[in-house]
Amino acid sequence: METVIILVFVIGYLAITLEHSIKIDKLIPALVMMAISWALISLGLETFPQWFDSAKHSLLEGFGVMPHEEKMHIMEETLLHHLGKTAEILVFLLGAMTIVEIIDYFDGFSTIKGFIKTKSKKKILWIFSILAFILSAIIDNLTATIVLISILQKIVKDRDVRLWYAGLIIIAANAGGAWSPIGDVTTTMLWIGKKVSTDHLFVYLFLPSLVCMAIPSFIASFLPAFKGKLDIEENVEDKPKSKFSSTMLYLGLGAIVSVPIFKTITHLPPYVGMMLALGVVAIFAELYSSSKFSLAQFDSAESDAHAHHSPVHASLSKIELPSILFFLGILMAVAALESLGILFEFATALKEGMPMLGTELHHTGVSDLVILLLGVASAVIDNVPLVAASLGMFSEPMDNELWHFVAYSAGTGGSMLIIGSAAGVVAMGMEKIDFFWYLKKISWLALIGFLAGAVTFMFTRTIF
């Protein structure tokens, strides 16, 4: 039965990877393989010799000889445990997505366009790279990419040049998301799973992530595509449509940034802080929306559309529920493999079978090569299940360097292919970037950045 469950997972995983080829949204195979995996576990419960206790992170003794009723109880408790942990991540993401949509409702991101005062291609490259690096740490790398490419489309009229900027934005956004607990779904998973803390994540990963962003941008600045100046035209339509645009931008970003602080002070799960942040932002959104001055600068059609909807309701209707359902499916499917002890056995085999790269990760017995390969793999397959699997495979304590290296590798390794990260996929859709164009023009820059950041991490850990 274990073999059948693994086969179901592999087929589902393959369907997720080939999403664009088979034209089936990845949430569908994720949900199907989750449901089938747990159904097979329930039907074949008597045949499993072992069970993994996720709370204690060890195999449950004597599971094979337990009565059927007791096994069913353990399975139900395990399922509930994993659902609870998954729900923490999903509720957190729902809150963050809603705040971002509220900012967008008030056209807050148009404020960022005002930061660009130069026409030099090289300077604009650095402005966008730094903005992507910082913004992705606050509003996550996916949203930062959407915002910046939208601004890019208004500034850079030459599509060939714009594709180069988009490629470097992907690298910078993924690098920026790696050092922040709210910058990438995988880092958020590690943070909520109590594997990394905010301060240690920053100390260990800020410099490697900065190097991962800066080296490719520095090399690219010497390429022909970034020589000369851009012809930028001022357009009245590009100005903020609401008088509260800047206010809502800074309020929303500040609210999201406050979540790690709230967690540190109260020791409550992050989703509680995110719900408080959403509540505060929603209060101001409703107040500004009801103000007779708030919509004075919208055109009449858009004003009517906004006037008949609460900004919170309108924002909730725009969040990406398919992504939420995908995370539910994939995390619960990985939980099925973890519960049967499959991931535990795989981790043990990795620790014993992989050669060490220079110095191993201290006190873990895990090779640097394993984590680097995880980063390379994240360019081909989704990094969410990879990190979910690592959570089930390794039992190292909170803030062990293993988890920080996993956060870096999974977060930045996806930049090596256009389909390797959420930021890459959304950029691919917005700019119709060709897979092979990216492979030829951008992948080598992403690889250099990834390796340079990894070397920086190995140096940084010897200090801290």
Side-chain angles (χ1 to χ4, degrees):
M1 189 67 80
E2 280 188 13
T3 306
V4 177
I5 293 172
I6 293 172
L7 188 62
V8 167
F9 188 84
V10 169
I11 293 171
Y13 210 116
L14 192 61
I16 290 169
T17 306
L18 300 174
E19 174 190 15
H20 299 289
S21 301
I22 61 177
K23 309 297 182 185
I24 295 177
D25 194 293
K26 62 183 179 181
L27 79 91
I28 296 171
L31 292 174
V32 169
M33 73 177 181
M34 177 269 284
I36 292 177
S37 295
W38 280 103
L40 290 173
I41 288 175
S42 179
L43 293 172
L45 203 55
E46 289 298 321
T47 65
F48 301 123
Q50 61 184 17
W51 193 263
F52 190 77
D53 188 338
S54 299
K56 297 179 180 178
H57 215 93
S58 60
L59 291 173
L60 197 64
E61 293 183 9
F63 179 79
V65 295
M66 289 180 182
H68 180 73
E69 291 76 13
E70 191 173 346
K71 286 183 176 181
M72 285 296 295
H73 176 72
I74 290 171
M75 184 197 71
E76 290 168 2
E77 289 292 319
T78 303
L79 189 57
L80 192 61
H81 168 80
H82 285 297
L83 180 61
K85 290 298 179 184
T86 301
E88 285 190 20
I89 297 171
L90 301 188
V91 172
F92 178 91
L93 292 174
L94 280 170
M97 287 177 176
T98 307
I99 292 175
V100 168
E101 291 297 339
I102 290 174
I103 295 172
D104 191 52
Y105 179 92
F106 287 90
D107 200 29
F109 293 114
S110 61
T111 305
I112 298 171
K113 187 176 181 293
F115 297 152
I116 303 166
K117 305 292 185 184
T118 180
K119 293 185 178 181
S120 167
K121 289 183 179 180
K122 188 179 294 187
K123 289 181 180 178
I124 290 175
L125 166 64
W126 280 104
I127 289 171
F128 272 101
S129 292
I130 293 169
L131 277 174
F133 185 76
I134 296 171
L135 266 182
S136 64
I138 303 173
I139 59 174
D140 82 58
N141 49 13
L142 172 62
T143 309
T145 303
I146 294 171
V147 169
L148 292 176
I149 289 183
S150 297
I151 296 170
L152 192 68
Q153 289 171 339
K154 296 176 181 178
I155 294 175
V156 184
K157 302 303 179 186
D158 186 341
R159 182 175 176 273
D160 293 335
V161 176
R162 202 164 63 234
L163 292 184
W164 278 96
Y165 281 110
L168 272 298
I169 285 172
I170 292 168
I171 294 173
N174 286 333
W179 62 270
S180 164
I182 52 181
D184 185 87
V185 174
T186 53
T187 320
T188 301
M189 287 164 58
L190 292 167
W191 182 48
I192 292 177
K194 296 182 179 179
K195 300 301 182 184
V196 297
S197 60
T198 305
D199 53 343
H200 282 73
L201 194 65
F202 176 82
V203 168
Y204 272 98
L205 292 191
F206 180 79
L207 189 57
S209 298
L210 184 64
V211 168
C212 182
M213 176 277 290
I215 296 293
S217 297
F218 177 75
I219 296 172
S221 65
F222 292 99
L223 297 175
F226 297 104
K227 293 188 183 297
K229 294 187 176 182
L230 289 171
D231 183 21
I232 301 176
E233 297 178 4
E234 281 295 326
N235 193 332
V236 177
E237 294 179 3
D238 292 342
K239 293 181 179 179
K241 297 176 182 177
S242 169
K243 62 181 290 186
F244 297 112
S245 294
S246 297
T247 306
M248 290 307 298
L249 173 68
Y250 298 130
L251 176 64
L253 297 184
I256 295 173
V257 170
S258 71
V259 174
I261 300 171
F262 179 87
K263 180 183 183 298
T264 303
I265 295 172
T266 64
H267 303 290
L268 288 169
Y271 71 87
V272 180
M274 186 57 79
M275 291 299 103
L276 175 61
L278 174 58
V280 171
V281 172
I283 289 171
F284 283 91
E286 294 288 345
L287 290 174
Y288 291 157
S289 180
S290 62
S291 168
K292 63 180 179 180
F293 302 109
S294 65
L295 298 169
Q297 297 180 36
F298 283 95
D299 60 51
S300 58
E302 203 164 353
S303 177
D304 291 340
H306 278 68
H308 289 90
H309 292 283
S310 155
V312 179
H313 289 182
S315 300
L316 281 168
S317 69
K318 291 175 68 179
I319 60 177
E320 286 197 35
L321 274 178
S323 296
I324 297 295
L325 288 173
F326 166 70
F327 295 141
L328 171 66
I330 198 69
L331 293 174
M332 292 301 291
V334 171
L337 297 184
E338 179 184 334
S339 299
L340 295 177
I342 295 169
L343 297 182
F344 180 80
E345 292 173 350
F346 184 63
T348 304
L350 280 179
K351 289 181 181 182
E352 294 174 353
M354 291 296 287
M356 301 302 171
L357 239 189
T359 56
E360 67 181 272
L361 287 160
H362 300 183
H363 315 300
T364 67
V366 180
S367 168
D368 289 331
L369 186 59
V370 172
I371 311 302
L372 285 173
L373 289 175
L374 183 145
V376 173
S378 71
V380 182
I381 50 183
D382 202 282
N383 57 3
V384 171
L386 283 176
V387 173
S390 71
L391 286 168
M393 284 161 56
F394 306 120
S395 57
E396 277 62 36
M398 183 174 179
D399 282 328
N400 185 282
E401 64 190 70
L402 166 75
W403 299 118
H404 296 103
F405 204 9
V406 167
Y408 170 80
S409 292
T412 62
S415 302
M416 287 183 274
L417 291 178
I418 188 74
I419 60 169
S421 65
V425 171
V426 75
M428 188 181 190
M430 292 179 74
E431 282 293 349
K432 303 295 183 286
I433 302 173
D434 182 71
F435 176 88
F436 293 103
W437 180 91
Y438 188 94
L439 184 66
K440 181 181 177 182
K441 305 289 187 181
I442 306 294
S443 292
W444 66 277
L445 290 169
L447 176 60
I448 291 172
F450 172 72
L451 294 176
V455 171
T456 306
F457 173 82
M458 293 174 190
F459 173 74
T460 305
R461 73 181 179 197
T462 59
I463 300 173
F464 298 112

